[in-house]
Amino acid sequence: MNQTVPVSDIDPFSLDVLTDPYPAYERLREAGPVVWLERHGVWASARFSAVRAAVLDHETFSSAAGVGLADLRRQPGPSQADAGMAGAGRGTGWRTPSLLLEQDQPDHTRARRVVGSVLSPSAIRAKTESWTAQAESMVGQLVDTGEFDGISRLAQELPLRLFADAVGLPREGRGENLLPFADFAFNAFGPPNELFRKSVAGGDATLPWVVRHCYPDRLSPDGWGAQIHRLAESEGYSLDEGAVLVRSLLAAGIDTTVRGLGSVLWLLATHPEQYAALRARPDLIRAAFDEAVRLESPTRMFFRAVVKDTVLDGVELPAGEKILLLFGAANRDPRRWDRPDEFDITRRSGGHLGFGAGIHACVGRIVAYLEADVMLRALTRHAAAIETSSPPRWHLNNTTRGLAELPLTLSSSA
Ligand code: OVM
């Protein structure tokens, strides 16, 4: 190869970048379609066209080496255990690979069929009435009651109640276990930095509960978890493999939606004209959530491994190394978006990469859309104004982006 690929010393996992990623994303985007990150010895792309092309070319950009920084081909994780969990102390090789996220075709296709049939549009639609009523009651208790934390009272409460009920988890233990577990799991896709090390204790403390609750004897028989086990068995998966499939729901289904719901609340509270537009046109609810996911993508990145020599956006890449795909940067690429840093619920934001694209596109996205829909519908019905009094606190994680705390007030009259 005689081309030169720009080299960057940016660390996308440093605390500075995680606190405010957008200046670093701009530098990476402007450096070229692909850059070499010398700190980590990986390629990275921050441009929309390159990130999209890479996720769509799943034969060249493989997931089976893991979608974090660590290369599972070089650093094998636990090979077998119940639900394949060795313990957080094992570092980035802490679990058997996900049967969905960290597989290529044809294995991935089989797992996707199982989870995709359980999380089908009609199964999700069947929750509308009950979820609407619960969101109405949650919001109703908060209107005209003074300041509250929008993250703990809404953004966490909805997934921890609605989603976890639908999966079939017991009430007891959810909050204490699911959130620290997901925080650890998402940190583990990054380097073994300070953030990761700080979340290991939470990972270790919650792993036994999470593993235990991936098995049918702890899941209610009519929930999504039990349904996954039944379908998995009919597809020839073992009991432990069925549990690893349920683990995908517990790992990917809570923290992501907490951050996404938190960001849309924050963006609406800080853009009163957009909230007024939403109240006038509730048909924009889905677009408003998509716009928040574009602007503050809750899953800011995943890696792929380059397994064939290829050309990505004009850049020759030899097989061998991993490439960091920065969805959160692609979603603000001025080559793709007008006024990319502005929150505008009327724009056509549906083509963003916040849920990925291609065969690995988020299998639970319609669950996220329904949670956002019932929350925003209840808000627009009951609150004429949504306001925030002080700057929010960000929750820092190697993979996820969103708020830890958001002071909010809801008033029934403007
Ligand atoms: C999984 C999974 C999928 C997406 C995100 C994630 C922890 C996990 O299949 O286990 O984050």
Side-chain angles (χ1 to χ4, degrees), residues 15-361:
L15 293 181
D16 282 354
V17 172
L18 294 177
T19 304
D20 179 16
Y22 302 109
Y25 288 172
E26 183 178 358
R27 281 171 59 206
L28 291 169
R29 269 194 314 261
E30 297 316 308
V34 180
V35 302
W36 177 254
L37 295 182
E38 60 181 9
R39 301 267 188 108
H40 299 294
V42 290
W43 309 105
S45 184
R47 288 200 190 167
F48 186 88
S49 61
V51 173
R52 184 161 188 281
V55 290
L56 293 181
D57 183 3
H58 52 263
E59 310 233 319
T60 305
F61 296 93
S62 161
S63 292
V67 298
L69 175 64
D71 193 323
L72 304 181
R73 297 169 301 186
R74 294 172 196 167
Q75 181 204 2
S79 51
Q80 34 111 322
D82 63 336
M85 315 279 198
R90 287 280 293 269
T92 47
W94 63 281
R95 59 173 183 174
T96 46
S98 163
L99 293 169
L100 270 177
L101 183 73
E102 293 151 331
Q103 304 287 337
D104 292 331
Q105 286 178 335
D107 302 332
H108 165 265
T109 317
R110 195 158 68 105
R112 177 89 185 195
R113 197 158 51 227
V114 171
V115 177
S117 325
V118 172
L119 302 181
S120 70
S122 61
I124 312 302
R125 217 178 307 119
K127 301 292 178 191
T128 310
E129 210 180 305
S130 137
W131 288 15
T132 300
Q134 294 183 70
E136 291 272 331
S137 132
M138 276 182 222
V139 167
Q141 286 169 31
L142 297 169
V143 175
D144 296 328
T145 57
E147 193 172 273
F148 62 92
D149 174 22
I151 302 305
S152 59
R153 300 298 299 277
L154 289 171
Q156 289 183 353
E157 196 58 20
L158 278 134
L160 280 177
R161 275 219 246 156
L162 311 186
F163 176 76
D165 275 351
V167 170
L169 293 167
R171 288 272 153 94
E172 179 86 26
R174 287 177 187 185
E176 319 82 281
N177 289 290
L178 292 171
L179 294 170
F181 168 70
D183 193 47
F184 167 74
F186 278 107
N187 271 327
F189 293 120
N193 55 12
E194 185 67 19
L195 258 186
F196 169 80
R197 281 194 299 273
K198 279 193 190 149
S199 66
V200 166
D204 266 334
T206 55
L207 204 53
W209 188 94
V210 172
V211 176
R212 202 63 209 89
H213 288 82
C214 290
Y215 282 85
D217 58 330
R218 298 294 168 103
L219 293 162
S220 77
D222 55 346
W224 293 337
Q227 288 173 38
I228 285 180
H229 273 286
R230 288 195 289 271
L231 268 183
E233 192 182 354
S234 71
E235 284 275 352
Y237 286 109
S238 71
L239 177 66
D240 287 336
E241 287 171 330
V244 173
L245 287 170
V246 174
R247 192 190 69 187
S248 287
L249 259 51
L250 307 191
I254 304 271
D255 203 342
T256 49
T257 39
V258 171
R259 303 306 152 205
L261 296 174
S263 288
V264 76
L265 287 172
W266 174 62
L267 288 164
L268 289 169
T270 50
H271 297 78
E273 79 295 347
Q274 299 286 318
Y275 185 65
L278 190 64
R279 287 194 76 217
R281 286 197 49 196
D283 57 303
L284 289 177
I285 280 177
R286 185 189 173 96
F289 182 58
D290 262 324
E291 176 65 346
V293 173
R294 180 191 71 81
L295 203 58
E296 294 293 351
S297 310
T299 303
R300 59 179 203 116
M301 58 107 210
F302 272 129
F303 290 80
R304 294 290 189 268
V306 183
V307 295
K308 288 187 218 164
D309 293 355
T310 192
V311 177
L312 182 62
D313 238 16
V315 180
E316 291 175 35
L317 297 178
E321 303 303 333
K322 283 205 162 182
I323 180 165
L324 169 60
L325 304 175
L326 288 160
F327 306 133
N331 284 338
R332 290 181 181 227
D333 185 346
R335 292 161 195 78
R336 169 64 179 78
W337 309 97
D338 290 334
R339 304 164 285 110
D341 300 323
E342 274 177 40
F343 179 60
D344 175 1
I345 66 170
T346 66
R347 80 160 82 225
R348 294 167 59 92
S349 51
H352 67 75
L353 296 171
F355 293 108
I359 65 167
H360 287 281

